[in-house]
Amino acid sequence: MKFPWFKRNGIFFIPSSKVGWIIFCGGVVYAVYSFIQIDSKSHSVSDTLINFVFRALFICAVYSLIAYITSRSANIKEEH
Amino acid sequence: MEIQNFEEKLVKMTKPEVIQLRHQEMLANAISSAKDRSVVNWWWLSIPLYIIAALFMKTAFMPDTTLISNIHEFTDKEKYSSFFFFLILPAISIIINLISIRKIYFLSGSPKEMKFLEVVWYNILMIIISVLILIIYSF
C-alpha cells in the first residue's frame, strides 16, 4: 500500500490518496447517519445538536488518529 | 622528501562536505511529528472540553447547581467514559507532549532562547489544557 494516506494542513488531516478519501467519506456518511439517528430520538433542536456535536467530535478524533498513524508510517519508511 | 609529499597530498585532499546534517533532518522530523501529535491531541481533548462547556451552560441555565456538582453528576452517570475522557486522555496527552518537547529540546542543543518556545507552543498549550481538565475532574 502506498503511503501517506493523509497530509496535515493546520489542525486538519486532508486525504491525499484513494484510501484516504474512502476513510474520509466513511466518516462523513457515519456522521450523517448519527445525525439522523439522534434526531429521531431527540425532543428538541438543541437536544439534537448537543448530542450530535459530541458524536461528531468523537468521529473527528478517531479520524485524526487514523490519519496521524497512516501519514506517520510514510515518514518512518523514508527514514529507513 | 616524504614529509613534503605528504604535505602536498594533504593540501590536495578535499574535505568531505556534508550538505545537510543527519541531526538537522532528525530535528525537522521531530518538530513535524510533534505538531502532528499535538493536532491529534487537540481533537481528543476537544471532547472533554466540550463536555465541560455543556455542563457550564447547564450551570448557567440552572441557578441551583454548580459546575462541580454537574461534573459529579456526570461522572456518577457515565463512570467509564468520564474516567477515560477526564483522567486517562489528559494524562496520556501530558506524557506524549512532554516527550515531544524533551526530544526537540535535546535535538536543538538545549537552547535558552524564545525561539524554542515558538516551536513548541502548541505542545505547551495542550499540556496546559490537559492539566486544567485534570484539575476540574479532581474537585
Side-chain angles (χ1 to χ4, degrees):
Chain A
M1 265 180 212
K2 281 185 181 178
F3 287 105
W5 289 353
F6 299 90
K7 276 185 181 177
R8 190 176 60 84
N9 189 3
I11 61 162
F12 300 104
F13 283 96
I14 293 157
S16 61
S17 71
K18 276 181 189 174
V19 186
W21 279 108
I22 289 167
I23 292 168
F24 178 78
C25 291
V28 172
V29 167
Y30 183 65
V32 172
Y33 170 75
S34 303
F35 182 82
I36 294 163
Q37 193 194 22
I38 291 164
D39 193 43
S40 64
K41 286 178 185 173
S42 62
H43 307 288
S44 64
V45 177
S46 62
D47 194 21
T48 307
L49 289 175
I50 287 167
N51 287 311
F52 174 69
V53 172
F54 178 79
R55 192 76 68 90
L57 281 174
F58 193 76
I59 292 165
C60 287
V62 173
Y63 169 79
S64 68
L65 188 66
I66 294 166
Y68 167 71
I69 293 164
T70 53
S71 60
R72 187 176 150 71
S73 51
N75 296 336
I76 293 165
K77 276 186 177 179
E78 279 168 19
E79 277 174 24
H80 291 290
Chain B
M1 268 306 268
E2 278 182 10
I3 292 168
Q4 263 189 344
N5 284 341
F6 181 68
E7 281 178 350
E8 280 170 14
K9 271 184 186 176
L10 269 179
V11 172
K12 281 176 187 174
M13 273 171 74
T14 53
K15 286 178 188 173
E17 282 184 27
V18 182
I19 299 161
Q20 198 178 10
L21 293 171
R22 177 76 181 155
H23 161 261
Q24 267 182 321
E25 200 182 302
M26 281 168 72
L27 181 62
N29 282 337
I31 291 169
S32 166
S33 184
K35 279 186 180 172
D36 287 355
R37 257 179 241 147
S38 60
V39 166
V40 178
N41 271 318
W42 164 247
W43 282 110
W44 281 98
L45 288 176
S46 67
I47 298 170
L49 283 177
Y50 173 73
I51 295 168
I52 290 168
L55 293 174
F56 186 77
M57 292 291 282
K58 192 182 173 185
T59 311
F61 283 102
M62 294 172 80
D64 307 341
T65 58
T66 60
L67 179 65
I68 304 301
S69 70
N70 280 327
I71 286 172
H72 280 297
E73 194 186 322
F74 177 77
T75 51
D76 288 339
K77 213 186 270 181
E78 304 280 342
K79 273 184 185 175
Y80 296 110
S81 57
S82 64
F83 182 73
F84 176 73
F85 287 125
F86 287 92
L87 199 72
I88 292 174
L89 209 62
I92 291 170
S93 170
I94 290 169
I95 293 164
I96 287 171
N97 282 299
L98 280 176
I99 290 168
S100 298
I101 292 171
R102 189 175 169 271
K103 195 177 177 185
I104 294 169
Y105 182 75
F106 283 116
L107 281 172
S108 54
S110 311
K112 289 171 185 171
E113 297 167 12
M114 288 301 284
K115 271 191 176 181
F116 173 71
L117 289 177
E118 282 175 26
V119 173
V120 295
W121 74 269
Y122 206 77
N123 295 77
I124 293 168
L125 184 71
M126 288 305 114
I127 291 171
I128 292 167
I129 290 170
S130 304
V131 170
L132 280 174
I133 292 167
L134 282 176
I135 289 168
I136 290 169
Y137 183 69
S138 64
F139 273 116

